[in-house]
Amino acid sequence: TKLTPKEIKDEEDDEDLKPPRPHIERHKQGHEVFAGIIEPRDVKGLIATDLAGRFPFQSFNGNNYIFLLYDYDSNAIVVSAIKSRKAADILKGYESCYKKLGEAGIKPVLQRLDNEVSDILIEAIKKKNIDYQIVTSNDHRNNPAERALRFFKEHFISSLSAVSYTHLRAHET
């Protein structure tokens, strides 16, 4: 599982890993991409958002989804129930979660978003003067909200099973 010194040297010499050279002709269509590493200890004010999959049952209020916002510095998970995956509903969930952060005195600086994001949400983020990053598709490691969502789901399911059990026990007596 470890690379030999020769393999390490070959990887360093790989042409694909070298930074792109600046284009002389800028009018050609194309994209310039830059990748860098930010140590987690250097991140201050990072939040991440994600949307859970559709809940199997609709709530009494007509909600089908859960919008999750994760604050990296405080390790806080803030959620809001939303009706659908429409941009307006996602924006309502975002505003609700962001308001809770503000009430706690947390002022985000950088937001990481899932790659499925609406222009309305991007505009709301810009109005709050927050920088944002959109993670690449199928790469869940770059979005801290993915892990927070998994953690939230585990706790939410265990809470639902406890409620269900308590509800059944109350009807037996």
Side-chain angles (χ1 to χ4, degrees), residues 31-163:
H31 301 284
E32 291 186 23
V33 178
F34 173 77
I37 297 173
I38 299 173
E39 291 293 326
R41 68 178 176 273
D42 296 334
V43 176
K44 302 286 186 236
L46 171 67
I47 61 172
T49 56
D50 201 4
L51 193 63
R54 185 179 176 96
F55 196 67
F57 303 101
Q58 189 177 48
S59 74
F60 289 122
N61 297 333
N63 296 319
N64 293 310
Y65 293 90
I66 295 174
F67 181 88
L68 180 133
L69 187 144
Y70 173 69
D71 179 50
Y72 188 86
D73 296 331
S74 66
N75 201 27
I77 299 172
V78 184
V79 295
S80 177
I82 59 175
K83 294 184 185 291
S84 69
R85 292 175 56 104
K86 292 182 181 174
D89 290 331
I90 291 173
L91 183 60
K92 284 180 189 176
Y94 176 75
E95 292 294 344
S96 172
C97 292
Y98 187 83
K99 182 180 175 187
K100 291 176 187 174
L101 281 184
E103 290 169 356
I106 298 171
K107 177 66 177 130
V109 175
L110 175 66
Q111 179 169 354
R112 289 213 182 121
L113 299 156
D114 199 11
N115 61 340
E116 297 174 2
V117 65
S118 68
D119 293 334
I120 295 171
L121 184 59
I122 295 290
E123 287 304 316
I125 294 167
K126 287 179 181 178
K127 284 180 184 175
K128 293 178 183 349
N129 293 324
I130 301 173
D131 290 330
Y132 67 92
Q133 296 175 339
I134 299 174
V135 299
T136 56
S137 59
N138 300 322
D139 191 2
H140 301 291
R141 295 172 298 181
N142 289 331
N143 190 356
E146 293 287 345
R147 180 70 178 133
L149 185 59
R150 195 167 108 196
F151 182 76
F152 171 77
K153 282 181 180 180
E154 291 169 358
H155 281 271
F156 188 63
I157 290 169
S158 66
S159 298
L160 287 178
S161 28
V163 168

